[in-house]
Amino acid sequence: MSDYFFFIGLPYAALVVVIVGTLFRYLNFGFGVSSLSSQFLESRELYYGSRPFHWGIIFLFFGHLVAFLFPAEVLLWNSVPVRLLILEIAAFGFGIAALVGLVILVIRRLKNKRIRVVTSKMDVVVYVVLAVQIITGLWIALFFRWGSSWFASTLTPYMRSIFLFNPDIAAVTNLPLFAKIHIVSAFTLIGLIPCTRFMHFLVYPFRYLWRSPLYVIWNWDRKQIRATRNLYNGVKQKNT
Amino acid sequence: MKTFLTIVGLLILSMAHADEGQDLYNKSCVACHTIGKGRLVGPDLINITQQRSQEWLVAFIKSSQTLIKSGDPEAVAIFEEYNRMPMPDNDFTDAQTLAVIEYIKRTSAGTEANGQTADAQDLLSEATDENVSSGALLFTGEKRLTNGGSACNSCHNVQDAQTFSNGTLAKDLTTSWEIMGSAGVAAIIEGPPFPLMTVAYQNHPVTEQEVLDLTAYLRSVSESSGNQAAESYDMAMAIFGIAAFLIIMVFIMIFYPQRKPSRVSA
């Protein structure tokens, strides 16, 4: 019974929420869709957390997407042992990068008062789901090898059956517990997209992935502004 | 006329029911069992309905492991006798399970017991080193399966120093041939009863020649497993994965000095 809920009900619920929720948010609060950058509040740790996290998560997302869209090609690539090892080790490395980045970002949020103030409950939820997602993924890569191959041959048919509205959960229900948790947290994450800042990658015109990074930096001396006595309403302090 | 139609209708219905039992048997049972042709991976099912009660058979077919874990002495004895090889659970309805039992009962009635293993005539009697080499390449995927199925090492491991495997999702196959014999191994490759394998190969059936080659390879692995060093990639994956992560971090750190450390207008 729970299998039907987690591997049929949840995926469809997540897909409905992500489509309807994204449209609703765009149409009603379009200008509120943002990653809510906190780079003004703290920059250095953000760099060391955000970079490995994003590099890791983007590589892994597209890795899974390729295995879903082109399973035969992935199996062909993996037919040479060295290539299989390169793929698995690279994916594992990016997985560690995503986890280390996430840990740095969480620590940054916990220890920095200014960041804590702008942290919402949904941020906490996203952090928890992401942590579960990445840890179970690493666990699978280590102890249930070779994921890139068996994903293509057993999970791709499941995913395809979901999108063709003819769900077949025979394979997925027989996977190890960690793999099941990984799948459930993935769909949970998809469902959370419109409810969180996670939606920022859908900001029109969808250039988040390849545009140059925005570099947010103060353009005046904050210390001088704090110390000045020559400040009154309506006039911004200039640098001397 | 009405009576005739009723009889015909009932006959058609009962035939449909029987066909369902046969279909389910062929889909889920035939890889490991025979009816009157000897033991395979599991016992010969001839006259099983006379040896066990219907309730017991239904429970065992639906989930043998549940019965074994409950301590049922007959279930435990079978589990031990057949090398602790777990029979996969079957997601049958009660009616479907009864249809399978009915099919076994009906087939048993017209069959004589063999009393031997189905392996008596080994399908590998004419297998050569060429089959073994070909099987090794098929196992690792270096030679693609004709119908595009994934290589065995995607999920399985064998202790063979000459072959790259180390899949750890499913069973280690080093002693599979020793446990199941040629007919058992071949039957499972041909029509896998395990759900993950069923899905993986349902649209990519393994050809007869490939079944032969893979079985020959697994026999050679089984026969020489005592001489092979067991390799594990657990630590290697962790170490190389961390190395890959460090390389990623080096790239990230190279870019950091390009960032301006403070306000731009100073």
Side-chain angles (χ1 to χ4, degrees):
Chain A
M1 188 64 191
S2 61
D3 285 338
Y4 287 103
F5 173 76
F6 285 122
F7 301 118
I8 298 177
L10 180 67
Y12 284 120
L15 291 173
V16 168
V17 169
V18 76
I19 293 167
V20 175
T22 303
L23 286 172
F24 176 80
R25 197 166 160 188
Y26 248 121
L27 296 173
N28 293 283
F29 314 100
F31 289 105
V33 178
S34 159
S35 64
L36 299 174
S37 172
S38 55
Q39 202 177 345
F40 264 140
L41 307 176
E42 195 286 321
S43 182
R44 186 181 159 79
E45 284 174 29
L46 176 68
Y47 180 83
Y48 284 113
S50 178
R51 273 297 169 104
F53 171 76
H54 280 96
W55 283 29
I57 216 79
I58 289 168
F59 177 91
L60 294 170
F61 172 75
F62 280 102
H64 285 69
L65 190 66
V66 166
F68 169 58
L69 294 175
F70 309 106
E73 285 69 19
V74 171
L75 290 176
L76 182 64
W77 170 270
N78 283 350
S79 63
V80 178
V82 175
R83 296 202 304 225
L84 167 67
L85 281 174
I86 289 171
L87 178 60
E88 288 280 337
I89 289 169
F92 192 70
F94 278 103
I96 298 175
L99 182 65
V100 169
L102 186 69
V103 169
I104 292 172
L105 291 174
V106 170
I107 292 172
R108 168 179 177 269
R109 227 162 245 280
L110 286 174
K111 78 174 193 188
N112 193 318
K113 272 186 185 173
R114 294 201 290 186
I115 313 281
R116 273 214 305 275
V117 169
V118 295
T119 302
S120 71
K121 284 176 186 165
M122 286 313 285
D123 292 337
V124 179
V125 172
V126 168
Y127 277 146
V128 170
V129 179
L130 275 172
V132 170
Q133 183 69 4
I134 297 168
I135 289 168
T136 52
L138 288 172
W139 190 272
I140 292 165
L142 257 190
F143 299 115
F144 300 108
R145 296 182 300 265
W146 301 102
S148 55
S149 285
W150 61 253
F151 181 103
S153 57
T154 60
L155 279 181
T156 296
Y158 161 67
M159 302 275 285
R160 194 176 292 146
S161 77
I162 290 286
F163 284 105
L164 294 175
F165 300 102
N166 184 23
D168 178 1
I169 59 171
V172 80
T173 52
N174 282 279
L175 283 172
L177 181 64
F178 270 80
K180 287 182 179 178
I181 297 172
H182 191 69
I183 295 164
V184 168
S185 63
F187 282 116
T188 308
L189 213 49
I190 290 170
L192 284 174
I193 288 173
C195 315
T196 61
R197 68 174 68 182
F198 203 44
M199 194 174 152
H200 68 270
F201 73 92
L202 291 175
V203 168
Y204 185 81
F206 312 113
R207 287 188 193 147
Y208 243 96
L209 275 177
W210 55 86
R211 67 157 169 72
S212 303
L214 294 180
Y215 188 19
V216 185
I217 191 165
W218 296 102
N219 66 356
W220 67 82
D221 189 338
R222 286 173 291 162
K223 192 176 174 186
Q224 191 183 3
I225 289 174
R226 279 199 300 275
T228 186
R229 292 176 183 178
N230 188 24
L231 190 68
Y232 53 91
N233 287 341
V235 177
K236 191 174 82 174
Q237 177 65 33
K238 303 283 188 210
N239 287 312
T240 53
Chain B
M1 186 64 185
K2 266 186 183 175
T3 318
F4 174 73
L5 284 175
T6 312
I7 290 169
V8 170
L10 281 172
L11 267 173
I12 290 169
L13 271 176
S14 65
M15 278 171 72
H17 191 61
D19 283 344
E20 187 182 26
Q22 187 175 5
D23 289 347
L24 290 169
Y25 180 87
N26 288 335
K27 186 180 158 204
S28 304
C29 317
V30 82
C32 302
H33 299 281
T34 72
I35 304 174
K37 291 179 184 165
R39 53 191 282 175
L40 211 57
V41 181
D44 186 338
L45 299 177
I46 189 164
N47 297 327
I48 193 74
T49 50
Q50 293 168 17
Q51 296 157 28
R52 312 258 187 252
S53 71
Q54 186 165 291
E55 294 74 35
W56 189 93
L57 284 172
V58 169
F60 196 89
I61 290 170
K62 282 193 168 179
S63 178
S64 65
Q65 284 301 303
T66 308
L67 210 56
I68 290 160
K69 281 174 190 160
S70 75
D72 182 279
E74 287 177 337
V76 172
I78 293 170
F79 188 53
E80 294 296 335
E81 187 185 342
Y82 287 87
N83 302 299
R84 305 176 68 80
M85 185 81 186
M87 179 173 125
D89 289 355
N90 288 295
D91 194 17
F92 295 160
T93 62
D94 284 345
Q96 287 174 324
T97 313
L98 291 175
V100 172
I101 293 171
E102 182 56 35
Y103 171 73
I104 295 169
K105 190 177 176 182
R106 197 157 32 87
T107 312
S108 296
T111 313
E112 272 185 39
N114 182 313
Q116 296 181 345
T117 64
D119 226 45
Q121 280 213 317
D122 194 335
L123 65 104
L124 295 182
S125 54
E126 289 176 17
T128 61
D129 287 349
E130 211 172 292
N131 294 108
V132 175
S133 312
S134 173
L137 293 174
L138 288 168
F139 192 93
T140 60
E142 288 164 87
K143 182 175 169 185
R144 298 295 311 279
L145 289 164
T146 309
N147 293 317
S150 57
C152 312
N153 72 348
S154 303
C155 303
H156 297 286
N157 180 49
V158 284
Q159 288 183 25
D160 177 4
Q162 308 300 317
T163 304
F164 171 82
S165 57
N166 241 273
T168 48
L169 179 71
K171 290 263 181 201
D172 185 310
L173 299 181
T174 307
T175 56
S176 57
W177 182 85
E178 203 178 311
I179 294 170
M180 297 187 286
S182 302
V185 170
I188 287 188
I189 298 171
E190 218 165 1
F194 309 108
L196 278 174
M197 235 176 129
T198 308
V199 170
Y201 295 99
Q202 65 191 358
N203 296 323
H204 312 283
V206 183
T207 65
E208 223 169 274
Q209 183 61 46
E210 288 164 347
V211 171
L212 183 75
D213 291 350
L214 284 166
T215 309
Y217 171 64
L218 287 173
R219 179 177 71 174
S220 89
V221 169
S222 212
E223 286 174 344
S224 60
S225 62
N227 306 322
Q228 305 290 345
E231 273 186 55
S232 170
Y233 277 69
D234 291 356
M235 279 306 289
M237 270 294 288
I239 291 167
F240 282 112
I242 290 168
F245 160 68
L246 291 175
I247 292 169
I248 295 165
M249 284 310 285
V250 166
F251 271 99
I252 289 172
M253 289 169 100
I254 286 171
F255 287 117
Y256 191 78
Q258 296 175 11
R259 291 161 62 90
K260 293 184 184 302
S262 59
R263 62 199 164 85
V264 291
S265 59

